[in-house]
Amino acid sequence: VTTLAVLASGSGSNLEAIAKAIENGQLLAKIAVVIYNEPEAYVKQRADKFGIPAILINHRDYKSRAAIDLAIVDILKQYHIDLVIMAGWMRIVTQVLIDAFPERILNIHPSLLPSFKGIHAIEQAFNYGVKITGCTVHILSLEVDSGKILKQAAVPILASDTLVDLQKRIQVQEHIIYPAAIAEYAQSLTK
Ligand code: GAR
């Protein structure tokens, strides 16, 4: 069984999707710990609901990005983590984290990479007028939203869509492809 850590900053709907896939037996893994950086993030409630320990690493308490990542690596080692799952972790990662878990950190991004990198991906695709966007699971690399792609889902943008409609449609797909990508990647590592 692959031991996962989930890093999140927000609502945690992807955490929930992954936890449910584990409960359903679709994903042979265990989430050992959730790390979150926003004290009020709803992801904490979701972790509690699934009985997963959640540890707050408030980035405001650290003096550099590297110091934050060192604290995170400490926790990841403590919990014997095999795979690190970024699920809406809205912080730039340093070499410290990547070197400690080379090729062992996955991320989900709400666009069809390499289009619309960065933190405003959905809004940018919407405003640009693209007719198809989507979501991407990729291996984390130092350069933001640029690592090797593992899975993507395409999502249409309809003329009647609001930004919120589009956000919801993308998240539906995220919740399908992320657990599936984790399962496949974990499997590939044990071969
Ligand atoms: C997800 O849509 C994810 O793709 C996005 O944050 C959301 C988190 O939702 N990530 C990024 O924008 C990364 N730049 P969640 O907290 O409900 O899982």
Side-chain angles (χ1 to χ4, degrees):
V1 184
T2 307
T3 305
L4 309 177
V6 173
L7 272 63
S9 302
S11 139
S13 71
N14 279 284
L15 167 70
E16 175 135 5
I18 295 161
K20 282 189 175 150
I22 291 172
E23 282 186 350
N24 297 339
Q26 291 166 290
L27 171 58
L28 221 63
K30 176 195 158 81
I31 305 172
V33 65
V34 167
I35 298 173
Y36 66 110
N37 67 304
E38 292 290 354
E40 302 302 323
Y42 188 66
V43 69
K44 163 75 167 107
Q45 262 68 46
R46 298 206 211 238
D48 289 349
K49 186 172 84 177
F50 286 94
I52 304 165
I55 299 178
L56 174 67
I57 294 282
N58 190 334
H59 56 277
R60 297 162 191 91
D61 298 340
Y62 297 83
K63 58 179 196 298
S64 69
R65 289 188 194 282
I68 297 166
D69 284 359
L70 262 180
I72 292 171
V73 168
D74 246 26
I75 296 168
L76 298 175
K77 298 273 181 204
Q78 221 173 290
Y79 282 89
H80 304 288
I81 297 305
D82 300 313
L83 260 187
V84 182
I85 306 300
M86 305 283 200
W89 179 253
M90 304 305 253
R91 303 286 309 167
I92 290 174
V93 161
T94 70
Q95 197 76 54
V96 170
L97 187 52
I98 290 172
D99 283 351
F101 289 86
E103 310 269 285
R104 295 294 183 277
I105 310 173
L106 304 188
N107 183 45
I108 189 150
H109 182 78
S111 76
L112 289 177
L113 290 174
S115 289
F116 306 113
K117 297 175 182 180
I119 60 170
H120 302 295
I122 300 176
E123 196 179 347
Q124 283 173 1
F126 185 81
N127 291 339
Y128 207 96
V130 298
K131 304 307 173 203
I132 298 168
T133 184
C135 48
T136 302
V137 177
H138 65 94
I139 299 174
L140 198 85
S141 63
L142 197 55
E143 202 187 326
V144 173
D145 300 327
S146 299
K148 183 179 186 230
I149 291 172
L150 299 178
K151 232 182 210 338
Q152 291 185 308
V155 170
I157 301 182
L158 309 180
S160 59
D161 273 351
T162 64
L163 190 55
V164 173
D165 294 332
L166 178 58
Q167 231 152 17
K168 286 185 181 154
R169 196 174 303 123
I170 290 173
Q171 283 223 324
V172 169
Q173 292 305 314
E174 290 189 343
H175 300 161
I176 296 168
I177 69 167
Y178 213 0
I182 295 165
E184 282 172 29
Y185 192 66
Q187 176 87 40
S188 78
L189 293 177
T190 59
K191 271 183 201 148

